[in-house]
Amino acid sequence: MRIRLYSVLVLIASLLSGCGYNQIQINDEGVNAAWSEVLNQYKRRADLIPNLVSVVQGYAAHEKEVLTRVTEARANVAGMKITPELINDEAAFAKFQKAQGELSGALSRLLVVAENYPNLKADANFRDLQAQLEGTENRITVARNRYIDSVRVYNVSVRTFPNNLTAMVMGYKPKANFTVDDEKAISTPPVVKFDTPAAAK
């Protein structure tokens, strides 16, 4: 009786290892870990923003519209409910990505405004915060790239045979990935014109 039970267990284990179940689990954990790092870096950026806005406000208080946009964009991101299920819901993921894109745009405008204030650019606190923000943006890019790669590996594992059969039975679906905000805009090459008249000799 024991030998028969042992044989059945060995057979089940070999079937499970051959059907890709374990690999799907490994890849799913890889996606979750990569996603956690993306969120970690976005949180770091969100934590830096109030300090940056405060320093800029001291020098450029009349740039209220830009400061308000940054604050509102940060509030939108902070107000989103971010759960582990977010990466399994394409609509929620797209909403999250849009909110982060709006925050990036608002921050870019804030840094452009700062260029117009030499005293602000010379402020040690501003320079330090700007350097930290730039470093965080780089970390976000790296974390997003790792997430994109993890999702690619996971999606391949749940879509290829025989793993796709296991994925279908267990309910595993491809995960959403980062996309470009406006694909048409970046697919159109920029127009460069050199039609400034030459200076008269």
Side-chain angles (χ1 to χ4, degrees), residues 18-21 23-24 154-174:
C19 69
Y21 178 81
Q23 193 58 51
I24 291 171
Y154 171 84
N155 286 349
V156 166
S157 75
V158 298
R159 294 178 67 202
T160 53
F161 184 82
N163 295 8
N164 64 336
L165 301 175
T166 304
M168 197 170 25
V169 169
M170 302 301 285
Y172 293 113
K173 294 183 175 133

Side-chain angles (χ1 to χ4, degrees), residues 10-23 163:
V10 168
L11 179 64
I12 290 171
S14 64
L15 287 173
L16 283 176
S17 65
C19 69
Y21 178 81
N22 289 340
Q23 193 58 51
N163 295 8

Side-chain angles (χ1 to χ4, degrees), residues 11-195:
L11 179 64
I12 290 171
S14 64
L15 287 173
L16 283 176
S17 65
C19 69
Y21 178 81
N22 289 340
Q23 193 58 51
I24 291 171
Q25 299 307 309
I26 291 166
N27 295 342
D28 190 43
E29 286 303 315
V31 170
N32 291 337
W35 178 243
S36 294
E37 185 55 24
V38 169
L39 293 180
N40 183 34
Q41 296 308 327
Y42 276 136
K43 179 167 182 351
R44 177 183 159 85
R45 177 173 74 173
D47 291 346
L48 286 170
I49 290 169
N51 297 328
L52 188 67
V53 168
S54 163
V55 171
V56 173
Q57 215 163 15
Y59 288 91
H62 59 280
E63 301 282 2
K64 197 168 184 176
E65 184 186 342
V66 174
L67 295 169
T68 302
R69 257 193 216 154
V70 171
T71 306
E72 286 173 354
R74 182 185 180 273
N76 286 345
V77 167
M80 292 188 77
K81 188 175 179 183
I82 299 170
T83 63
E85 289 75 37
L86 179 72
I87 55 177
N88 298 319
D89 181 349
E90 283 190 46
F93 188 83
K95 189 176 173 186
F96 172 82
Q97 189 175 347
K98 183 175 185 266
Q100 291 294 346
E102 287 170 1
L103 181 55
S104 294
L107 274 174
S108 296
R109 285 188 291 281
L110 180 67
L111 294 175
V112 166
V113 163
E115 290 294 314
N116 298 325
Y117 297 89
N119 290 342
L120 173 58
K121 282 168 56 179
D123 183 283
N125 286 335
F126 176 77
R127 285 199 320 267
D128 180 50
L129 285 166
Q130 188 177 17
Q132 286 186 51
L133 195 58
E134 287 168 359
T136 300
E137 292 297 334
N138 290 337
R139 288 187 185 104
I140 288 170
T141 301
V142 169
R144 280 176 53 142
N145 286 340
R146 287 181 181 154
Y147 174 78
I148 288 167
D149 193 51
S150 295
V151 168
R152 179 191 61 76
V153 169
Y154 171 84
N155 286 349
V156 166
S157 75
V158 298
R159 294 178 67 202
T160 53
F161 184 82
N163 295 8
N164 64 336
L165 301 175
T166 304
M168 197 170 25
V169 169
M170 302 301 285
Y172 293 113
K173 294 183 175 133
K175 295 188 185 289
N177 216 333
F178 285 104
T179 57
V180 177
D181 290 336
D182 188 0
E183 235 175 279
K184 282 185 181 175
I186 64 165
S187 63
T188 307
V191 177
V192 180
K193 292 184 179 178
F194 296 103
D195 48 355

